[in-house]
Amino acid sequence: MTVQQMLAEILASEPLLAEARADPEAFARAHDVDADTVRRLVASPGLYTSASIVRAARAGRILAAYPGTFAVVGSAAGRAALMSAAITAGCVSTLSGLGEVGERLAHSVSADAPRQVPVADLGLLREMIRYETACHRLRLSARSTADVPEMPALAPGVLLTSFDRPIAAIRRHVLEGDQGSEGAGPVGPSHYLLRSVGDPVRVLAHRLAPLLAALLSACDGRREAGLVAAEAGVPAETGFRSLCRLEEQGVITWPGAAHQTVKPASALTRDPGDRKGA
């Protein structure tokens, strides 16, 4: 650990600061840093005030980035446990840093976590973390400049994913203060297409019918349209027309797509459970 890394982690983590202050020599040995540097650091005037300011700023960014996650925890003890796990993540003002926050939050509620976060519905909390993390990862991937394959493939800034409940609708209701909308538990697969749009980038959630989700899942950039339709279990002509509409809507890329002269009804409608996006 470099001196800069040590300072950043001490400022972000109250337990680390307490550890360094209690026994600078032991802290130096445990973290492979110079003991004299640690002693000078913990003796610095204003260190504790600076640490409090840094932690408050980082906590504010994390809460703003994962509002649904912290809302469904409910208890102050649960929110504190989550924040403790996430606050020492990387730069929380960047999308990659917010992705790391999501990884730490997910680990804190995993079966391997050393302590369980006190929460009424652990399954809901895990799904909410996964949803909000996916949104941040998607914002980052929207900047990708990868080559476009010739065969049908999901467009940059588009993610197909599934949850065990209608998570986008639940998130909206929870953030609006409707605590009774969380449901009694999993209700079966809820398929979503997440799309990054606008500048600044926000994410919109489209809840999909199973057949459309199957069609999009088969768009891996390696199958031609007929094989995509066969994999999804739909007639070739139906699959072809649906893929043309999806390409027109910017959901998939398909350089060889043939556009319809008369466009049928939209193949994709947005889930009313997430009108405001994420």
Side-chain angles (χ1 to χ4, degrees):
M1 181 188 293
T2 67
V3 174
Q4 290 80 5
Q5 289 172 328
M6 177 184 66
L7 178 59
E9 294 201 13
I10 283 178
L11 287 174
S13 172
E14 190 171 1
L16 271 183
L17 178 55
E19 178 187 343
R21 184 183 186 187
D23 192 336
E25 288 76 14
F27 181 91
R29 288 193 300 271
H31 300 277
D32 194 26
V33 291
D34 179 66
D36 287 337
T37 301
V38 177
R39 280 193 292 269
R40 288 197 299 272
L41 181 62
V42 297
S44 301
L47 175 65
Y48 301 98
T49 300
S50 298
S52 297
I53 294 171
V54 168
R55 285 196 298 273
R58 290 175 69 85
R61 292 191 185 104
I62 292 170
L63 285 169
Y66 287 85
T69 293
F70 283 88
V72 300
V73 173
S75 70
R79 289 192 294 271
L82 282 181
M83 188 59 71
S84 177
I87 200 163
T88 56
C91 182
V92 297
S93 60
T94 66
L95 291 174
S96 59
L98 292 176
E100 182 186 343
V101 168
E103 292 173 3
R104 294 192 179 205
L105 290 172
H107 177 71
S108 73
V109 297
S110 70
D112 298 329
R115 292 183 302 170
Q116 290 298 313
V117 173
V119 59
D121 189 339
L122 185 59
L124 172 60
L125 178 58
R126 287 171 174 166
E127 291 290 80
M128 190 66 73
I129 291 171
R130 194 161 67 86
Y131 176 80
E132 294 190 320
T133 301
C135 290
H136 295 304
R137 295 291 192 197
L138 186 59
R139 289 186 180 98
L140 185 61
S141 70
R143 301 172 180 176
S144 171
T145 57
D147 293 336
V148 175
E150 287 297 315
M151 305 299 182
L154 295 181
V158 171
L159 174 68
L160 181 67
T161 186
S162 297
F163 300 88
D164 67 6
R165 63 198 82 199
I167 195 69
I170 292 172
R171 179 179 184 268
R172 180 174 65 87
H173 287 299
V174 167
L175 293 182
E176 290 175 352
D178 183 3
Q179 297 302 319
S181 66
E182 298 177 18
V187 295
S190 291
H191 307 291
Y192 281 95
L193 190 83
L194 305 181
R195 302 181 70 182
S196 58
V197 298
D199 185 13
V201 177
R202 62 194 182 104
V203 174
L204 301 180
H206 307 264
R207 192 175 178 192
L208 306 178
L211 198 58
L212 182 53
L215 188 71
L216 287 167
S217 179
C219 294
D220 58 5
R222 298 189 296 271
R223 296 183 178 97
E224 62 182 20
L227 293 177
V228 169
E231 180 69 18
V234 300
E237 184 176 351
T238 301
F240 179 81
R241 290 179 179 275
S242 295
L243 290 173
C244 286
R245 295 199 299 272
L246 291 166
E247 192 272 341
E248 291 170 5
Q249 294 170 347
V251 175
I252 65 171
T253 59
W254 184 18
H259 298 277
Q260 301 296 311
T261 303
V262 178
K263 301 180 180 63
S266 173
L268 186 66
T269 55
R270 208 166 89 216
D271 178 12
D274 199 26
R275 294 187 180 89
K276 297 180 179 178

